[in-house]
Amino acid sequence: MTVASGTRQLAFLGEVEDAMRAAIGAWSGPTALAALDPILAGGKRLRPLLVLAATPVGHVPGADTVRAAAAVELLHTASLVHDDILDAAGQRRGRPTVVATHGASTATHAGDLLTSLSLTSLTDIRHDPDVAASDDLEELVTQAVRLLAHTTRSLVSGEAVQAEQERRPDTGIDAYATRCSMKTGVLFGCSMAFGALFGRAPATDVDLLFEVGTGLGVAFQISDDVLDCVGDAARTGKQPGTDVRSGTMTLPLLLCAQSDPEVAAELASPRPDVDLVLERVAASGAADAALEQAGTLLDETIAKLDDLELEYDFDRLRELSRAAVRRSA
Ligand code: FPP
Ligand code: MG
């Protein structure tokens, strides 16, 4: 990344941060305080970065793009707040989770608030004085709201499918991949589509970037799932073994269970021996095999960028994609 693009990126992320804080700041009380917590905790802001990276070269992202990036990050944060309630997770991003700090009831309300703010971040584009007036704005907002609604539905359905797959080591790899696409891929796709959409790219590019983002999101989820097995808390900010404990079937666990009946039995048990499973996953090569699958998917996904009509910062897109899948979290 050049100094100029790095500076642009920092400025963009600063505006997204301000937009999210302003949205929550319009509220008061314990729900708003709990909703602010995970925003202040920071994070890589990968989804806003994808929005920016998918903006065509020559288009300067305006307040509409900033609001779209805030919308995806708010939705992502909402889903994590609810996810941590469902997983009874104590730690995220190296800090206590919203549920651990504020309790399940307030955390549920905070997640709901963040979800609704995500939607209004888009609908208020039309009333924001900082957004430049344009004839196509009404139509762009309608398309964006439709996409965000689809994305929210997908996240919720993906989580529901995950619950159906709970403690089911016989879950097929395809079924796992579909779930990853629903709960993670589609939000990545939505982020990239937003960059192209508000960057006034043609519909074919918007659709293709949605596809690219979705593939990238699945690769990201696989590597995140591997980190849950082999990562250390100091680096990931999360307790390892959470998936084993909560019965969430992930690619490294499924691959290991396919050749190890003892692991399969532990994964089906309501009180699995977490240490045993994590040791076997590392020793069996299942974690490496899962990462290899993520790498293959990533390569196939990045190759699709060649078919885009407009010019984008392709180096940045590739760099961001590879970094996301390497580090995850
Ligand atoms: C994190 O994944 C969680 C998700 C990607 C989606 C969670 C979605 C819901 C709880 C549905 C509710 C949605 C809304 C919009 C409120 P993970 O659990 O695999 O990763 P982790 O290790 O970061 O917890
Ligand atoms: Mg989780």
Side-chain angles (χ1 to χ4, degrees), residues 20-91:
M20 292 193 292
R21 288 176 197 194
I24 301 169
W27 290 69
S28 58
T31 302
L33 279 177
L36 195 58
D37 250 18
I39 297 293
L40 295 181
K44 293 184 302 297
R45 303 303 190 224
L46 186 52
R47 290 148 193 86
L49 287 175
L50 290 173
V51 174
L52 182 64
T55 301
V57 168
H59 179 90
V60 179
D64 48 359
T65 304
V66 170
R67 278 183 165 277
V72 291
E73 190 64 20
L74 285 164
L75 182 62
H76 169 57
T77 309
S79 75
L80 294 185
V81 171
H82 279 193
D83 186 60
D84 288 336
I85 301 170
L86 293 168
D87 291 352
Q91 223 190 341

Side-chain angles (χ1 to χ4, degrees), residues 125-320:
I125 285 179
R126 283 176 284 219
H127 317 294
D128 185 341
D130 291 335
V131 174
S134 71
D135 290 342
D136 57 359
L137 200 58
E138 193 72 30
E139 174 55 25
L140 291 184
V141 171
T142 302
Q143 283 186 42
V145 168
R146 200 176 291 139
L147 187 50
L148 194 77
H150 167 74
T151 302
T152 310
R153 256 195 328 272
S154 178
L155 266 170
V156 173
S157 314
E159 193 66 17
V161 170
Q162 181 167 301
E164 284 163 23
Q165 295 173 350
E166 198 174 296
R167 303 195 198 286
R168 297 285 308 266
D170 58 339
T171 300
I173 304 300
D174 285 352
Y176 160 81
T178 303
R179 177 188 102 208
C180 290
S181 177
M182 292 165 84
K183 77 167 201 171
T184 308
V186 169
L187 184 52
F188 275 56
C190 176
S191 305
M192 297 187 83
F194 276 0
L197 186 72
F198 288 103
R200 274 61 175 180
T204 45
D205 278 10
V206 175
D207 292 348
L208 188 56
L209 282 164
F210 178 79
E211 219 181 285
V212 167
T214 305
L216 171 59
V218 175
F220 171 92
Q221 185 62 52
I222 295 172
S223 70
D224 191 51
D225 289 344
V226 171
L227 270 186
D228 190 81
C229 296
V230 298
D232 78 289
R235 197 163 71 87
T236 64
K238 296 185 275 200
Q239 289 153 339
T242 299
D243 290 333
V244 181
R245 232 168 269 118
S246 63
T248 305
M249 297 299 104
T250 65
L251 187 57
L253 299 179
L254 292 171
L255 290 176
C256 188
Q258 278 176 355
S259 59
D260 189 333
E262 218 179 320
V263 166
E266 289 299 333
L267 291 178
S269 153
R271 302 173 74 85
D273 183 337
V274 178
D275 291 340
L276 177 138
V277 172
L278 295 186
E279 270 165 35
R280 297 278 178 94
V281 167
S284 67
D288 290 337
L291 277 184
E292 205 174 306
Q293 289 198 24
T296 306
L297 175 60
L298 185 65
D299 291 342
E300 288 166 6
T301 301
I302 288 176
K304 293 184 181 171
L305 294 172
D306 294 345
D307 296 331
L308 287 165
E309 217 172 292
L310 297 187
E311 197 193 335
Y312 298 80
D313 186 345
F314 291 109
D315 288 344
R316 180 71 189 128
L317 277 170
R318 286 190 199 97
E319 181 190 355
L320 201 53

Side-chain angles (χ1 to χ4, degrees), residues 110-134:
D112 292 344
L113 175 62
L114 289 162
T115 307
S116 66
L117 292 177
S118 162
L119 192 60
T120 45
S121 183
L122 287 184
T123 52
D124 285 355
I125 285 179
R126 283 176 284 219
H127 317 294
D128 185 341
D130 291 335
V131 174
S134 71

